[in-house]
Amino acid sequence: MGEFMTEPKQSPTLGRLGPAGPLGRLGPLPGPAGPPDGHEATVILERTRASVDPELRRAVDSLPGSMRRIARYHFGWEHADGTPASGNAGKAIRPALVLTAARALGGQAAAAVGAAAAVELVHNFTLLHDDVMDRDATRRHRPTAWTVFGDADAILAGDALQALALRLLAEDPHPASGAAAARLASCVVELCAGQHADTAMERRDPDEVTLDEVLAMAEAKTGALLGCACALGALYAGADEEDVAALDAFGREAGLAFQLIDDVIGIWGDPSRTGKPAGADLMARKKSLPVVAALASGTPAAADLAELYRGPYEEGELERTVLAVERAGGRDWAQVQAADRMGRAMHELSRAVPDPAAGDGLLALAEFVTRRSS
């Protein structure tokens, strides 16, 4: 797994952390209402949607009819019966990172729109596959594609989106497109390896999974694509390899912070905001970051959690499981780790973009995803 980390991973221990305190710029984890979205990030995301969505639609519309229908449903552009919809196609964080990274290093964002669309297509390929593997029934407040069209069709639609992503780059006349395609393809391999590690962990005893393992898995599953998005933006700006590597590392660290927050939301989030049932990961016995941290704490609550995780979920156990994770320190650990990863991300950003004003957009996006409550 390719990594651009300036310091080795540590094996965090819960004993030295205690309750989570203030989280610096990251701030405390949002409650059900959550803080207002950062204005700068919101503007960037809206601008990204306006420029990237037409490219996405052109790409999806080039698919054969059967694949096109599933993809358009997944993106929220159509209902299951094929009639137009104005649903939620996602926040466009990854394509926004591509375009914002290009701007931060002095490039033209307009030249990187195809690359931004390619990253978004790969992201949605992973979502279609993840939903099948995890048996998630809802995404973006509507039924997932596999529940509507079946497993095989959802998987094939995901495969088609991945192929579209690489075709966009292959057809792009920009001089950076070849390096970008190679980097995105390598990222897909890493994403698959991370997903494989995740599913393999589900078959192991709760006491056998270490924090280092689950952090490496999270970097591969989540950090890799965010890092790749930033790196593609740097490539399209004509940056040198050192700056490309630093922005990749920035995205990876921000991605880990994102995953930590996402895992916490998966346990304690408000279903009306997340679009998913509360505690679904716990009921599925997923070894998420807060859960593994809790299991590693050596506390009585950790023993209780391990006992619960060794058996299938039984009706009425959710509250007990949530309390065990919290009492064993899983939530506090995740908050502290998220702040630490954001600190590392800012360090990497300053290496590639020494002028704070030029890096403000990337920092705003990183803070947006780690301040989210859904």
Side-chain angles (χ1 to χ4, degrees), residues 100-162:
T100 308
R103 287 192 196 95
L105 290 173
Q108 296 296 317
V113 168
V119 169
E120 185 73 341
L121 287 167
V122 164
H123 173 54
N124 282 276
F125 138 71
T126 69
L127 297 184
L128 282 161
H129 283 208
D130 281 355
D131 287 343
V132 173
M133 286 183 274
D134 296 341
R135 313 313 288 169
D136 285 336
T138 58
R139 180 174 292 281
R140 300 168 182 161
H141 304 277
R142 70 200 308 232
T144 45
W146 72 267
T147 67
V148 176
F149 302 100
D151 290 3
D153 284 356
I155 292 169
L156 291 168
D159 293 342
L161 294 187
Q162 182 194 167

Coordinates of all heavy atoms in Angstrom, one line a residue, residues 100-162:
T100 N -10.0 22.2 -6.0 CA -9.5 23.1 -5.1 C -8.0 22.9 -5.0 O -7.2 23.9 -4.8 CB -10.2 22.9 -3.7 OG1 -11.6 23.0 -3.9 CG2 -9.7 24.0 -2.7
A101 N -7.5 21.7 -5.1 CA -6.1 21.4 -5.0 C -5.4 22.0 -6.3 O -4.3 22.6 -6.2 CB -5.8 19.9 -5.0
A102 N -6.0 21.9 -7.4 CA -5.5 22.5 -8.6 C -5.3 24.0 -8.4 O -4.3 24.6 -8.8 CB -6.3 22.2 -9.8
R103 N -6.4 24.6 -7.9 CA -6.3 26.1 -7.7 C -5.2 26.5 -6.7 O -4.5 27.4 -6.8 CB -7.7 26.6 -7.1 CG -8.8 26.7 -8.2 CD -10.0 27.5 -7.6 NE -11.2 27.2 -8.4 CZ -12.1 26.3 -8.1 NH1 -12.0 25.5 -7.0 NH2 -13.1 26.1 -8.9
A104 N -5.1 25.7 -5.6 CA -4.2 26.0 -4.5 C -2.7 26.0 -5.0 O -1.9 26.7 -4.5 CB -4.3 25.0 -3.4
L105 N -2.4 25.2 -6.0 CA -1.1 25.1 -6.6 C -0.9 25.9 -7.9 O 0.0 25.7 -8.6 CB -0.7 23.7 -6.8 CG -0.5 22.9 -5.5 CD1 -0.3 21.4 -5.8 CD2 0.7 23.4 -4.7
G106 N -1.9 26.8 -8.1 CA -1.7 27.8 -9.2 C -2.2 27.3 -10.5 O -2.0 27.9 -11.6
G107 N -3.0 26.1 -10.6 CA -3.5 25.6 -11.8 C -4.9 26.2 -12.1 O -5.5 26.9 -11.3
Q108 N -5.4 25.8 -13.3 CA -6.7 26.2 -13.7 C -7.7 25.0 -13.4 O -7.6 23.9 -13.9 CB -6.8 26.4 -15.2 CG -5.9 27.6 -15.6 CD -6.4 28.9 -15.0 OE1 -7.6 29.2 -15.0 NE2 -5.5 29.7 -14.5
A109 N -8.7 25.3 -12.5 CA -9.6 24.3 -12.1 C -10.4 23.8 -13.3 O -10.7 22.6 -13.3 CB -10.6 24.8 -11.0
A110 N -10.7 24.6 -14.2 CA -11.5 24.2 -15.4 C -10.8 23.1 -16.2 O -11.5 22.2 -16.7 CB -11.7 25.4 -16.3
A111 N -9.5 23.0 -16.1 CA -8.8 22.0 -16.9 C -8.9 20.6 -16.2 O -8.6 19.6 -16.8 CB -7.3 22.4 -17.0
A112 N -9.3 20.6 -14.9 CA -9.3 19.4 -14.1 C -10.7 18.9 -13.9 O -10.9 17.9 -13.1 CB -8.6 19.6 -12.8
V113 N -11.7 19.4 -14.6 CA -13.1 19.0 -14.4 C -13.3 17.5 -14.7 O -13.9 16.8 -14.0 CB -14.1 19.9 -15.2 CG1 -15.5 19.3 -15.2 CG2 -14.1 21.3 -14.5
G114 N -12.7 17.1 -15.8 CA -12.8 15.7 -16.2 C -12.2 14.8 -15.1 O -12.7 13.7 -14.8
A115 N -11.0 15.2 -14.6 CA -10.4 14.4 -13.5 C -11.3 14.3 -12.3 O -11.4 13.3 -11.6 CB -9.0 14.9 -13.2
A116 N -11.9 15.5 -12.0 CA -12.8 15.5 -10.8 C -14.0 14.6 -11.0 O -14.4 13.9 -10.1 CB -13.3 17.0 -10.6
A117 N -14.5 14.6 -12.2 CA -15.7 13.7 -12.5 C -15.2 12.2 -12.4 O -16.0 11.4 -11.9 CB -16.2 14.0 -13.9
A118 N -14.0 11.9 -12.9 CA -13.5 10.6 -12.8 C -13.4 10.1 -11.3 O -13.8 9.0 -11.0 CB -12.1 10.5 -13.4
V119 N -12.9 11.0 -10.4 CA -12.8 10.6 -9.0 C -14.2 10.4 -8.4 O -14.4 9.4 -7.7 CB -12.1 11.7 -8.2 CG1 -12.2 11.5 -6.7 CG2 -10.6 11.8 -8.6
E120 N -15.2 11.2 -8.8 CA -16.5 11.0 -8.3 C -17.2 9.7 -8.8 O -17.9 9.0 -8.1 CB -17.4 12.2 -8.7 CG -18.8 12.2 -8.1 CD -18.9 12.5 -6.6 OE1 -17.9 12.3 -5.9 OE2 -20.0 12.8 -6.2
L121 N -16.9 9.3 -10.1 CA -17.3 8.1 -10.6 C -16.8 6.9 -9.8 O -17.5 5.9 -9.5 CB -17.0 7.9 -12.1 CG -17.8 8.8 -13.0 CD1 -17.2 8.9 -14.4 CD2 -19.3 8.4 -13.1
V122 N -15.5 6.9 -9.5 CA -14.9 5.9 -8.7 C -15.5 5.8 -7.3 O -15.7 4.7 -6.8 CB -13.3 6.1 -8.7 CG1 -12.7 5.2 -7.5 CG2 -12.7 5.7 -10.0
H123 N -15.7 7.0 -6.7 CA -16.3 7.0 -5.4 C -17.7 6.3 -5.5 O -18.0 5.4 -4.6 CB -16.5 8.4 -5.0 CG -17.3 8.6 -3.7 ND1 -16.9 7.9 -2.5 CD2 -18.4 9.3 -3.4 CE1 -17.8 8.2 -1.6 NE2 -18.7 9.1 -2.1
N124 N -18.5 6.6 -6.5 CA -19.8 6.0 -6.6 C -19.7 4.5 -7.0 O -20.6 3.7 -6.6 CB -20.7 6.8 -7.5 CG -21.2 8.0 -6.8 OD1 -22.2 8.0 -6.1 ND2 -20.5 9.1 -7.0
F125 N -18.7 4.1 -7.7 CA -18.5 2.7 -7.9 C -18.3 1.9 -6.6 O -18.9 0.9 -6.3 CB -17.3 2.5 -8.8 CG -16.3 1.4 -8.4 CD1 -16.7 0.0 -8.6 CD2 -15.0 1.7 -8.0 CE1 -15.8 -1.0 -8.2 CE2 -14.2 0.7 -7.6 CZ -14.5 -0.7 -7.7
T126 N -17.5 2.5 -5.7 CA -17.3 1.9 -4.3 C -18.6 1.9 -3.5 O -18.9 0.9 -2.8 CB -16.2 2.6 -3.5 OG1 -16.6 3.9 -3.1 CG2 -14.9 2.7 -4.3
L127 N -19.4 2.9 -3.6 CA -20.7 2.9 -2.9 C -21.6 1.8 -3.3 O -22.2 1.2 -2.5 CB -21.3 4.3 -3.0 CG -20.6 5.5 -2.5 CD1 -21.4 6.8 -2.6 CD2 -20.2 5.3 -1.0
L128 N -21.7 1.7 -4.6 CA -22.6 0.6 -5.1 C -22.2 -0.7 -4.7 O -23.0 -1.6 -4.2 CB -22.6 0.7 -6.7 CG -23.5 1.8 -7.3 CD1 -23.1 2.1 -8.7 CD2 -25.0 1.4 -7.2
H129 N -20.9 -1.0 -4.7 CA -20.4 -2.3 -4.2 C -20.5 -2.4 -2.7 O -20.9 -3.5 -2.2 CB -18.9 -2.5 -4.7 CG -18.8 -2.8 -6.2 ND1 -17.8 -3.5 -6.7 CD2 -19.6 -2.5 -7.2 CE1 -17.9 -3.7 -8.0 NE2 -19.0 -3.1 -8.3
D130 N -20.1 -1.4 -2.0 CA -20.2 -1.4 -0.5 C -21.6 -1.8 -0.1 O -21.8 -2.5 0.9 CB -19.8 -0.1 0.1 CG -18.2 0.0 0.1 OD1 -17.5 -0.9 -0.2 OD2 -17.8 1.1 0.5
D131 N -22.6 -1.1 -0.7 CA -24.0 -1.3 -0.3 C -24.4 -2.8 -0.4 O -25.1 -3.3 0.4 CB -24.9 -0.4 -1.0 CG -24.8 1.0 -0.6 OD1 -24.3 1.3 0.5 OD2 -25.3 1.9 -1.4
V132 N -23.9 -3.4 -1.5 CA -24.2 -4.8 -1.7 C -23.5 -5.7 -0.6 O -24.2 -6.6 0.0 CB -23.8 -5.3 -3.1 CG1 -23.9 -6.8 -3.3 CG2 -24.6 -4.6 -4.2
M133 N -22.3 -5.4 -0.4 CA -21.5 -6.3 0.5 C -22.0 -6.1 1.9 O -22.0 -7.0 2.7 CB -20.0 -6.0 0.4 CG -19.4 -6.5 -0.9 SD -17.6 -6.3 -1.0 CE -17.6 -4.7 -1.8
D134 N -22.3 -4.8 2.3 CA -22.7 -4.6 3.7 C -24.2 -4.8 3.9 O -24.7 -4.7 5.0 CB -22.4 -3.1 4.1 CG -20.9 -2.9 4.1 OD1 -20.1 -3.9 4.2 OD2 -20.5 -1.7 4.0
R135 N -24.9 -5.0 2.8 CA -26.4 -5.2 2.8 C -27.1 -3.9 3.4 O -28.1 -4.0 4.0 CB -26.8 -6.4 3.6 CG -26.1 -7.7 3.3 CD -26.0 -8.0 1.8 NE -27.2 -8.4 1.2 CZ -27.4 -8.5 -0.2 NH1 -26.4 -8.1 -1.0 NH2 -28.6 -8.8 -0.7
D136 N -26.5 -2.8 3.1 CA -27.2 -1.5 3.5 C -28.4 -1.3 2.6 O -28.4 -1.3 1.4 CB -26.2 -0.4 3.3 CG -25.1 -0.3 4.4 OD1 -25.4 -0.9 5.5 OD2 -24.1 0.2 4.2
A137 N -29.5 -1.0 3.3 CA -30.8 -0.8 2.6 C -31.1 0.6 2.1 O -31.9 0.8 1.3 CB -31.9 -1.4 3.4
T138 N -30.4 1.6 2.8 CA -30.7 3.0 2.4 C -29.4 3.7 2.2 O -28.4 3.4 2.9 CB -31.5 3.7 3.5 OG1 -30.8 3.6 4.7 CG2 -32.9 3.1 3.7
R139 N -29.4 4.7 1.3 CA -28.3 5.6 1.1 C -28.9 6.9 0.6 O -29.7 6.9 -0.3 CB -27.3 5.1 0.1 CG -26.1 6.0 -0.1 CD -25.0 5.5 -1.0 NE -24.3 4.4 -0.4 CZ -23.4 4.5 0.6 NH1 -23.0 5.7 1.0 NH2 -22.8 3.4 1.1
R140 N -28.4 8.0 1.2 CA -29.0 9.3 0.8 C -30.5 9.4 0.9 O -31.2 9.9 0.0 CB -28.5 9.7 -0.6 CG -27.0 9.7 -0.8 CD -26.5 9.8 -2.2 NE -25.1 9.8 -2.4 CZ -24.4 9.5 -3.5 NH1 -25.1 9.1 -4.5 NH2 -23.1 9.6 -3.5
H141 N -31.0 8.8 1.9 CA -32.4 8.8 2.3 C -33.3 8.1 1.3 O -34.5 8.5 1.2 CB -32.9 10.3 2.5 CG -32.0 11.0 3.5 ND1 -32.3 11.0 4.9 CD2 -30.9 11.8 3.4 CE1 -31.4 11.7 5.5 NE2 -30.6 12.2 4.6
R142 N -32.8 7.2 0.5 CA -33.6 6.4 -0.4 C -33.1 5.0 -0.5 O -32.0 4.7 -0.1 CB -33.7 7.1 -1.8 CG -32.4 7.0 -2.5 CD -32.3 8.0 -3.7 NE -33.5 8.0 -4.5 CZ -33.4 8.0 -5.9 NH1 -32.2 7.8 -6.5 NH2 -34.4 8.0 -6.6
P143 N -33.9 4.0 -0.9 CA -33.4 2.6 -1.0 C -32.2 2.5 -1.9 O -32.0 3.2 -2.9 CB -34.6 1.9 -1.7 CG -35.8 2.7 -1.3 CD -35.3 4.1 -1.3
T144 N -31.2 1.7 -1.5 CA -30.0 1.5 -2.3 C -30.3 0.8 -3.6 O -31.3 0.1 -3.7 CB -29.0 0.7 -1.4 OG1 -29.6 -0.4 -0.8 CG2 -28.4 1.5 -0.4
A145 N -29.4 0.9 -4.5 CA -29.6 0.3 -5.9 C -29.9 -1.2 -5.9 O -30.7 -1.7 -6.6 CB -28.5 0.7 -6.8
W146 N -29.1 -1.9 -5.0 CA -29.3 -3.3 -5.0 C -30.6 -3.8 -4.5 O -31.1 -4.8 -5.0 CB -28.1 -4.0 -4.2 CG -28.2 -3.9 -2.7 CD1 -27.6 -2.9 -2.0 CD2 -28.9 -4.7 -1.8 NE1 -27.9 -3.1 -0.6 CE2 -28.7 -4.2 -0.5 CE3 -29.7 -5.9 -2.0 CZ2 -29.3 -4.8 0.6 CZ3 -30.3 -6.5 -0.8 CH2 -30.1 -5.9 0.4
T147 N -31.2 -3.0 -3.6 CA -32.6 -3.4 -3.1 C -33.6 -3.1 -4.2 O -34.7 -3.7 -4.1 CB -32.9 -2.6 -1.9 OG1 -33.1 -1.2 -2.2 CG2 -31.9 -2.7 -0.8
V148 N -33.3 -2.3 -5.2 CA -34.3 -1.9 -6.2 C -34.1 -2.8 -7.5 O -35.0 -3.4 -8.0 CB -34.2 -0.4 -6.6 CG1 -35.1 -0.1 -7.8 CG2 -34.5 0.4 -5.4
F149 N -32.8 -3.0 -7.8 CA -32.5 -3.6 -9.1 C -31.8 -5.0 -8.9 O -31.7 -5.7 -9.9 CB -31.5 -2.8 -9.9 CG -32.1 -1.4 -10.3 CD1 -31.7 -0.3 -9.5 CD2 -33.0 -1.2 -11.3 CE1 -32.2 1.0 -9.8 CE2 -33.5 0.0 -11.6 CZ -33.1 1.1 -10.8
G150 N -31.5 -5.4 -7.7 CA -30.8 -6.7 -7.4 C -29.3 -6.5 -7.3 O -28.7 -5.6 -7.8
D151 N -28.7 -7.5 -6.7 CA -27.3 -7.5 -6.5 C -26.5 -7.4 -7.8 O -25.6 -6.6 -7.9 CB -26.8 -8.8 -5.7 CG -27.3 -8.8 -4.3 OD1 -28.0 -7.9 -3.9 OD2 -26.9 -9.8 -3.6
A152 N -26.8 -8.3 -8.7 CA -25.9 -8.4 -9.9 C -25.9 -7.1 -10.7 O -24.9 -6.6 -11.1 CB -26.4 -9.5 -10.8
D153 N -27.1 -6.5 -10.8 CA -27.2 -5.3 -11.6 C -26.5 -4.1 -10.9 O -25.9 -3.3 -11.6 CB -28.7 -4.9 -11.9 CG -29.3 -5.8 -12.9 OD1 -28.6 -6.6 -13.5 OD2 -30.6 -5.6 -13.2
A154 N -26.6 -4.0 -9.6 CA -25.9 -3.0 -8.9 C -24.4 -3.1 -9.0 O -23.7 -2.1 -9.2 CB -26.3 -3.0 -7.4
I155 N -23.9 -4.4 -8.9 CA -22.5 -4.6 -9.0 C -22.0 -4.2 -10.4 O -21.0 -3.5 -10.6 CB -22.1 -6.1 -8.7 CG1 -22.4 -6.3 -7.2 CG2 -20.7 -6.4 -9.1 CD1 -22.3 -7.8 -6.9
L156 N -22.7 -4.6 -11.5 CA -22.4 -4.3 -12.8 C -22.4 -2.8 -13.1 O -21.5 -2.3 -13.8 CB -23.3 -5.0 -13.8 CG -23.1 -6.6 -13.8 CD1 -24.2 -7.2 -14.6 CD2 -21.7 -6.9 -14.5
A157 N -23.4 -2.1 -12.5 CA -23.4 -0.7 -12.7 C -22.2 0.0 -12.0 O -21.6 0.9 -12.6 CB -24.7 -0.1 -12.1
G158 N -21.8 -0.5 -10.9 CA -20.6 0.0 -10.3 C -19.3 -0.3 -11.1 O -18.5 0.6 -11.3
D159 N -19.2 -1.5 -11.7 CA -18.1 -1.8 -12.6 C -18.1 -0.8 -13.8 O -17.0 -0.3 -14.2 CB -18.2 -3.2 -13.1 CG -18.1 -4.3 -12.1 OD1 -17.5 -3.9 -11.0 OD2 -18.5 -5.4 -12.3
A160 N -19.3 -0.5 -14.3 CA -19.4 0.4 -15.4 C -18.9 1.8 -15.1 O -18.2 2.5 -15.9 CB -20.8 0.5 -16.0
L161 N -19.2 2.3 -13.8 CA -18.8 3.6 -13.4 C -17.3 3.7 -13.3 O -16.6 4.7 -13.6 CB -19.4 4.0 -12.1 CG -20.9 4.2 -12.1 CD1 -21.4 4.7 -10.7 CD2 -21.4 5.1 -13.2
Q162 N -16.6 2.6 -12.8 CA -15.2 2.6 -12.7 C -14.6 2.6 -14.1 O -13.6 3.4 -14.3 CB -14.7 1.3 -12.0 CG -13.2 1.3 -11.8 CD -12.7 -0.1 -11.5 OE1 -11.5 -0.3 -11.5 NE2 -13.5 -1.0 -11.1

